[in-house]
């Protein structure tokens, strides 16, 4: 089979150059193996700090294509950690949250908390975190973030209504 041929032709463990990894990543994509390509892009990020942000972004893209949103979120979180430019850092954090939101599990909620801590006064992060907490039935956490959200956006009627609904559901109105 074609996958065995690619493995035999260029075992991933023996790849050394960026060019070799890129060729193999492209081959994996041609064979419909985005997860294998994504792991190579992560290796590229680790080996080339100057282009790491771009490589983590590619890894995240292909992790999503492989239906692995948690891995995509982790790749974006890695990009967030190494980004020096604040705009790129924020973009990576939002992309990580977006991917994590697709998993709706406890680890994604922990990631949301870490990213909200990095941007505590950003309503966009709080809004996504609130939705994730609600999806995970974590009403107490949703209420904490919702209170902060309405403090930042006191004129947001939908935010105020959501805050009241969370408080009612949490028996804390």
């Amino acid at each position: 089979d074609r996958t065995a041929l690619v493995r035999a032709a260029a075992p991933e463990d023996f790849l050394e150059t960026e060019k070799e990894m890129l060729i193999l990543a492209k081959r994996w994509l041609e064979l419909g193996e985005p997860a294998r390509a994504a792991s190579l892009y992560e290796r590229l990020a680790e080996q080339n700090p100057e282009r790491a942000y771009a490589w983590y972004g590619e890894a995240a893209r292909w992790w999503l294509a492989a239906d692995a949103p948690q891995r995509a979120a982790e790749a974006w979180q890695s990009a967030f950690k190494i980004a020096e430019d604040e705009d790129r850092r924020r973009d990576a954090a939002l992309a990580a949250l977006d991917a994590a939101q697709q998993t709706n599990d406890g680890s994604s909620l922990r990631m949301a908390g870490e990213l909200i801590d990095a941007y505590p006064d950003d309503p966009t992060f709080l809004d996504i975190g609130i939705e994730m907490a609600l999806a995970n039935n974590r009403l107490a956490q949703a209420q904490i973030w919702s209170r902060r959200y309405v403090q930042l956006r006191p004129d947001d009627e939908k935010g105020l209504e959501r805050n009241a609904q969370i408080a009612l559901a949490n028996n804390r109105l």
Side-chain angles (χ1 to χ4, degrees):
D1 91 12
R2 288 174 43 164
T3 304
L5 288 174
V6 171
R7 281 189 200 144
E12 292 163 44
D13 293 339
F14 299 103
L15 296 177
E16 293 182 16
T17 69
E18 185 172 303
K19 183 178 178 181
E20 290 173 325
M21 283 189 259
L22 286 171
I23 289 169
L24 186 57
K26 184 177 178 184
R27 287 184 186 158
W28 281 126
L29 292 172
E30 290 168 355
L31 292 171
E33 296 281 347
R36 303 293 296 260
S39 66
L40 284 170
Y41 285 117
E42 287 180 333
R43 278 186 57 192
L44 283 164
E46 293 162 7
Q47 291 181 5
N48 186 346
E50 293 172 9
R51 299 214 43 223
Y53 185 92
W55 293 136
Y56 280 128
E58 278 298 301
R61 172 183 175 198
W62 295 113
W63 283 124
L64 284 175
D67 198 27
Q70 185 60 35
R71 292 292 301 269
E74 291 166 4
W76 276 121
Q77 190 174 34
S78 294
F80 164 79
K81 289 176 181 176
I82 56 105
E84 294 176 10
D85 175 77
E86 186 52 40
D87 288 338
R88 292 177 97 190
R89 184 174 158 83
R90 186 177 188 281
D91 288 347
L94 284 172
L97 265 184
D98 184 51
Q101 192 172 19
Q102 296 177 43
T103 67
N104 280 331
D105 65 14
S107 63
S108 65
L109 198 56
R110 280 189 298 281
M111 182 183 292
E114 291 171 16
L115 295 171
I116 288 170
D117 287 346
Y119 296 94
D121 297 326
D122 190 318
T124 303
F125 285 86
L126 289 166
D127 187 48
I128 295 169
I130 293 163
E131 294 304 318
M132 290 174 72
L134 290 172
N136 283 279
N137 200 27
R138 299 283 305 275
L139 294 177
Q141 184 61 66
Q143 190 168 22
I144 291 167
W145 289 337
S146 183
R147 283 185 190 138
R148 194 177 324 162
Y149 180 88
V150 297
Q151 288 173 347
L152 294 169
R153 293 249 171 109
D155 297 331
D156 182 341
E157 289 183 28
K158 288 185 179 186
L160 291 168
E161 183 179 325
R162 177 178 62 189
N163 188 52
Q165 290 173 344
I166 292 169
L168 281 172
N170 205 21
N171 294 321
R172 301 228 173 148
L173 189 64

